[in-house]
Amino acid sequence: MSSIATFYLMRESARNEFEEAKRNEKTITYKRGFFRTKEVVTGERFLWEYLDEAAEERIEFPYSGFIMIDYLFTFLEGAEPIQTDFAAAAIDANYYAIPGRMAERVAGFLESNPPDGKALESFADQHGAQSPKEHAVLLRETHETLKHWLGKISKERFGVLQLTF
């Protein structure tokens, strides 16, 4: 099983359009009948299709999205400002809409709290990484990627983080 993390940079003026795209997002469900299963499709397009078209910038995280999840939601689990902000930014299990103020707070936290190499390696080892040293390098790069991406978000722009499983 794999995961992908994608960052989208959106104009704040497109916020209502984004919310509308989320409300009308395409969904596929299956309804069982007596003799067959019927596919039921609602909505026009998936949210990622809208984002691919409407975003000012799209950045693919260069590693598995599980590295992002490990760092953001497990390694930083006790980091109250980050966990509170990301919980508030969640629009569903896969998408986080990140406003400028949140991006500034989280980027500031990351800037003033660089991860310790030994702590990253220990974390990787405890979580069963095949090579804790290499995994620690990826976690550190994730920290830097988050800072860079969050730094692109401003009062005029918001970000969307998509995590697929």
Side-chain angles (χ1 to χ4, degrees):
M1 186 175 217
S2 64
S3 175
I4 299 170
T6 308
F7 303 107
Y8 296 93
L9 190 61
M10 304 287 294
R11 293 176 324 284
E12 189 61 53
S13 61
R15 170 95 51 188
N16 290 338
E17 186 179 285
F18 166 74
E19 290 170 355
E20 183 66 20
K22 176 60 181 153
R23 270 192 297 281
N24 295 317
E25 182 177 16
K26 183 177 186 177
T27 60
I28 300 172
T29 56
Y30 297 92
K31 189 173 184 175
R32 291 191 59 136
F34 283 115
F35 300 108
R36 64 185 175 106
T37 300
K38 180 180 177 182
E39 183 178 81
V40 179
V41 179
T42 58
E44 294 180 27
R45 60 186 169 177
F46 295 108
L47 187 57
W48 63 265
E49 291 174 308
Y50 162 77
L51 289 166
D52 280 351
E53 183 180 295
E56 285 186 348
E57 187 175 354
R58 176 180 186 231
I59 303 168
E60 288 289 331
F61 185 60
Y63 310 110
S64 167
F66 287 122
I67 300 288
M68 177 69 65
I69 293 164
D70 276 355
Y71 184 74
L72 195 54
F73 299 112
T74 307
F75 182 76
L76 294 177
E77 185 175 27
E80 183 58 34
I82 289 180
Q83 298 309 311
T84 301
D85 278 342
F86 271 93
I91 59 173
D92 66 18
N94 299 96
Y95 292 94
Y96 298 84
I98 301 167
R101 283 201 163 132
M102 175 188 161
E104 188 177 322
R105 271 191 310 274
V106 173
F109 176 86
L110 294 173
E111 184 67 38
S112 60
N113 293 284
D116 175 71
K118 292 290 182 196
L120 289 174
E121 199 172 319
S122 175
F123 171 82
D125 187 44
Q126 290 171 2
H127 286 85
Q130 288 181 343
S131 173
K133 276 190 189 298
E134 288 177 23
H135 198 79
V137 169
L138 296 178
L139 292 167
R140 178 171 296 287
E141 289 181 23
T142 300
H143 177 89
E144 295 303 320
T145 299
L146 278 168
K147 283 190 333 187
H148 173 74
W149 182 69
L150 291 167
K152 291 176 172 263
I153 300 171
S154 65
K155 196 182 329 180
E156 297 84 28
R157 289 176 178 65
F158 70 99
V160 178
L161 170 62
Q162 177 191 14
L163 297 168
T164 60
F165 304 97

